[in-house]
Amino acid sequence: MAFVSDGAEALELLAREPHDVVVSDMRMPGMDGAELLTAVSRRHPEVARVVLSGHIEPAAAIQVAVAGHRFLTKPSDADSLIAVIEQLLVRTSGAHRSEARRIAGAVRAVPTLPEHTDGIVGLLAPDANLAYAVQMAMHDVGLTAKLLQLSNSRFFGARPRNSSVESIVNAMGVPMVQAVAGAGHALRPASAWDPAIEQHLHMAWRHAVATACLVDFVASPANRPHAQAAALLQDVGRLVCLATAGEERESAVDLASETRDGVPFRDVGVELLHLWGLPAPIVTAVAQRDLEQSPEPSGLGVAAAVRTAHLLIQRTESACSAAGSQAGRDDELARLLAHPQLRAQDVDWRRAADEASHQAGSWRRRGRH
């Protein structure tokens, strides 16, 4: 461990020696915490960023929310601080540890897709209501991720760890959601997007929204909040890798292999959700979406529920071609649909998948206007 007295010294130290984690106060003379952590994210993205601070103004809190990965309030006991640092020393990608952390660590917020720009602008309007805030949060990957990050931090007022996105928005209120959306979303004009990448991202987004609609019926009530969040965030790695690749001159994206600089999109997404401290069931379900599941008879669990919904949506118009071939998955899907949890429901699952796909397509068309 190394200790310095201000932000400028911290940046000098990081330039001289590699470190894994930086823990910063918010209020400091000269360079404040938000300034320091923003500079660290740009110059040393591989360094995990932790805020340790007392009560601060809401506007400043949102700045920190964008710049930091984890948040602790003062006074904070040593065990809590140690636990956070130890969590951040873990890399989720075994094969691409350093590169996955570097790419994920540079992400301060998930960019908004062009067709969602009008929706975010509407959310920022003075007359935006709670129902509209909930709708936007449940259809925007970046806003979902940030709200989940903040909701799991005592820095912003702790809520139950299995809260749904809807309940988080209701608890935070419209002004806080507007502040998060305004600070965290890069509203780029449509002309700034490569058409091929934009089409690829739209496909992944529609698949995610359709999966989230369907998993509402597949998952048990206890697992539903985590399953819905995991479904929406299942391709967050693809989104940040493709949407931000052009910001780094030497960055290379390969759509065929679904990698950026040789790192799988999924590894980047899982690393990002881990850095942001999202609940383990969500991170695990995102990591295991493409893995065959064999749930216990007592319940599907979050990962198997998301996997089931994903495989069903792959048979609809909301299929994501980049999510792998359906070939060889028929037997697995049949086993999952025969699970006692799903057999107990009088549901035509393939028809339910078609309806979820239609809902996602309808919302996209509304979003364009």
Side-chain angles (χ1 to χ4, degrees):
M1 297 178 70
F3 298 86
V4 294
S5 58
D6 59 46
E9 275 191 72
L11 292 176
E12 290 174 9
L13 179 61
L14 289 172
R16 292 196 308 268
E17 304 173 27
H19 287 76
D20 295 297
V21 182
V22 58
V23 181
S24 173
D25 201 339
M26 180 58 188
R27 287 176 172 163
M28 298 185 292
M31 185 184 301
D32 66 19
E35 253 186 298
L36 170 61
L37 295 179
T38 299
V40 172
S41 73
R42 290 172 177 155
R43 301 181 198 179
H44 309 282
E46 71 284 355
V47 178
R49 307 181 293 274
V50 180
V51 177
L52 177 65
S53 192
H55 297 292
I56 57 177
E57 295 77 16
I62 296 303
Q63 284 185 305
V64 175
V66 175
H69 291 132
R70 305 286 183 98
F71 318 98
L72 290 170
T73 55
K74 293 194 299 187
S76 187
D77 61 89
D79 288 343
S80 297
L81 180 56
I82 290 170
V84 167
I85 293 173
E86 287 183 337
Q87 289 169 20
L88 292 172
L89 293 177
V90 174
R91 304 308 204 258
T92 59
S93 174
H96 308 277
R97 294 164 56 89
S98 299
E99 281 302 292
R101 173 60 63 95
R102 179 187 66 80
I103 297 170
V107 177
R108 295 191 296 276
V110 180
T112 294
L113 295 178
E115 65 189 45
H116 295 169
T117 299
D118 288 346
I120 293 296
V121 171
L123 173 60
L124 298 178
D127 59 348
N129 58 35
L130 196 59
Y132 186 75
V134 169
Q135 183 188 50
M136 280 307 307
M138 295 182 71
H139 289 86
D140 187 277
V141 174
L143 193 50
T144 291
K146 269 296 169 185
L147 291 175
L148 284 166
Q149 179 195 20
L150 302 187
S151 73
N152 285 280
S153 167
R154 292 185 181 278
F155 196 73
F156 293 88
R159 273 162 283 284
R161 291 187 69 84
N162 66 339
S163 291
S164 66
V165 175
E166 181 177 3
S167 66
I168 290 170
V169 171
N170 279 297
M172 285 188 170
V174 173
M176 178 64 84
V177 175
Q178 287 176 319
V180 174
H185 284 64
L187 303 180
R188 289 191 279 175
S191 59
W193 292 75
D194 179 282
I197 286 180
E198 186 178 341
Q199 182 179 9
H200 196 77
L201 292 175
H202 288 326
M203 186 185 302
W205 172 84
R206 179 172 173 177
H207 178 85
V209 171
T211 306
C213 291
L214 183 59
V215 87
D216 189 43
F217 300 96
V218 174
S220 67
N223 289 328
R224 194 169 293 149
H226 283 158
Q228 286 180 324
L232 281 172
L233 299 173
Q234 61 183 291
D235 277 321
V236 67
R238 177 177 284 109
L239 178 56
V240 298
C241 284
L242 294 181
T244 62
E247 297 171 4
E248 295 185 28
R249 188 171 300 173
E250 299 179 358
S251 179
V253 168
D254 187 333
L255 289 177
S257 63
E258 301 181 42
T259 61
R260 174 171 164 183
D261 300 337
V263 183
F265 295 158
R266 189 158 307 282
D267 286 8
V268 173
V270 172
E271 183 71 20
L272 177 62
L273 299 182
H274 167 68
L275 277 171
W276 283 357
L278 267 64
I282 296 176
V283 181
T284 300
V286 171
Q288 295 183 358
R289 191 207 63 180
D290 293 332
L291 300 180
E292 185 172 334
Q293 297 290 319
S294 300
E296 296 291 331
S298 57
L300 283 177
V302 175
V306 173
R307 172 72 172 167
T308 303
H310 159 68
L311 291 177
L312 284 165
I313 294 299
Q314 280 295 84
R315 296 167 171 266
T316 71
E317 292 182 353
S318 295
C320 184
S321 59
S325 171
Q326 185 70 22
R329 308 290 171 81
D330 292 349
D331 290 345
E332 181 193 359
L333 180 58
R335 288 196 307 274
L336 290 169
L337 294 179
H339 190 278
Q341 180 177 317
L342 299 185
R343 278 209 323 267
Q345 300 184 55
D346 184 19
V347 176
D348 181 335
W349 291 108
R350 288 174 175 79
R351 180 177 178 182
D354 286 333
E355 291 175 353
S357 173
H358 177 71
Q359 287 180 41
S362 298
W363 196 91
R364 179 182 174 184
R365 287 188 291 272
R366 289 197 302 273
R368 286 175 174 168
H369 303 289

